[in-house]
Amino acid sequence: MRGRWKAVSAAAVVSLLFFGCKRYTPVEKGFAPEVSSIYVAEDGTIFSATVEDCGTDRYSSEGLEAFVTEEVARYNESLGYPAAEPAADQDREGREKKSRDRESEPNLPVTVVSCQVTDGKATAIYQYLDSASFLAFAESYHDDANRLRSLGTGSASSGRVQGWFEDGEYVKPGGQSGEVQPAQKEELDRLNKERMLLVETSHPVTIQTEGTICYMTRDVELSGEDVALVPAGKHYIVFK
């Protein structure tokens, strides 16, 4: 495991911080990662999952969640967001009020969606305010598996304005043949509300989308209809 997770155990931390926690989980929409990866929802919301082997060491989901949540709290605080009161220091009424108040608070750069230790693997899923928040957090915490040079999201119509359709050779899944087929210009011109991703990376990265991938630049491989294995370089993905 990463050095910053090595100390996590059942007795590592017993009080969880509410600061930076989210109730929504992309697992409800089919994101149950087995490897470190990035998930992009239909509305452009970005999530990432860090998945690491924890071997025979004794870890617990509670200990991992406490460690990761406190870590994210410190990160958000370093960007000027207020400190949180540990849950252990709140009575029940205070915790319920805190939960209600969170819905009216400004969005945080990074939030913890879930943490789980099972079958020898530790998984932490994060949610981000925007692509800039994702890139900054991955850089700050040395998340090498999910570190990108750049990440952009938008509709196909906005991607056209930015020249994304002119910046690469597009192909589409080959159906039963399994081989990709060239995408015709007429097909791409008809795209409008479909979602687009710009991904620039120095190493392969796994990206899952909330929707079927219908076009991508050449050399991007698909593992299922909504999972892309993106190689090094600049690439684009279209899904709906």
Side-chain angles (χ1 to χ4, degrees):
M1 295 186 72
R2 268 201 315 256
R4 65 189 183 93
W5 281 10
K6 285 183 178 179
V8 181
S9 68
V13 186
V14 296
S15 63
L16 300 183
L17 292 177
F18 278 22
F19 187 69
C21 289
K22 282 277 190 179
R23 289 177 178 170
Y24 170 75
T25 168
V27 173
E28 298 170 0
K29 297 184 178 294
F31 185 50
E34 296 185 359
V35 298
S36 295
S37 52
I38 299 163
Y39 179 87
V40 181
E42 285 183 346
D43 63 0
T45 303
I46 298 168
F47 301 82
S48 74
T50 300
V51 182
E52 298 183 356
D53 292 329
C54 52
T56 58
D57 293 335
R58 299 179 62 185
Y59 298 95
S60 74
S61 298
E62 293 79 10
L64 178 64
E65 183 175 6
F67 181 87
V68 171
T69 304
E70 184 173 7
E71 181 178 65
V72 168
R74 289 197 304 268
Y75 177 78
N76 287 331
E77 289 169 28
S78 73
L79 299 178
Y81 289 80
E85 180 184 356
D89 293 345
Q90 303 172 23
D91 57 22
R92 180 177 178 180
E93 182 178 350
R95 290 195 298 271
E96 291 176 349
K97 181 179 184 299
K98 194 75 171 180
S99 178
R100 292 192 300 270
D101 290 346
R102 272 201 308 277
E103 297 185 3
S104 62
E105 289 177 353
N107 290 328
L108 299 170
V110 186
T111 55
V112 180
V113 173
S114 66
C115 296
Q116 186 175 18
V117 177
T118 182
D119 297 329
K121 287 189 175 182
T123 302
I125 297 179
Y126 306 85
Q127 179 177 342
Y128 302 91
L129 179 61
D130 50 30
S131 58
S133 298
F134 162 76
L135 294 169
F137 185 75
E139 178 73 21
S140 296
Y141 283 90
H142 308 290
D143 188 355
D144 294 334
N146 291 322
R147 193 184 300 185
L148 305 179
R149 291 178 182 172
S150 58
L151 175 66
T153 67
S155 65
S157 58
S158 65
R160 182 171 289 105
V161 171
Q162 297 179 71
W164 288 1
F165 284 107
E166 309 300 325
D167 193 17
E169 180 186 359
Y170 283 80
V171 296
K172 59 184 179 181
Q176 294 183 349
S177 69
E179 296 184 3
V180 297
Q181 303 173 3
Q184 302 302 316
K185 183 178 184 303
E186 294 76 12
E187 297 176 86
L188 301 179
D189 287 344
R190 287 195 295 268
L191 298 176
N192 183 25
K193 295 183 179 180
E194 289 81 0
R195 302 297 303 180
M196 286 198 73
L197 299 179
L198 154 66
V199 182
E200 187 173 7
T201 178
S202 342
H203 60 278
V205 64
T206 300
I207 295 182
Q208 183 174 343
T209 60
E210 186 185 355
T212 301
I213 296 172
C214 47
Y215 299 97
M216 61 276 188
T217 44
R218 189 170 292 280
D219 295 329
V220 172
E221 297 182 13
L222 297 188
S223 175
E225 64 180 15
D226 59 351
V227 178
L229 308 178
V230 182
K234 180 186 288 188
H235 294 278
Y236 300 89
I237 296 169
V238 182
F239 67 96
K240 62 179 180 180

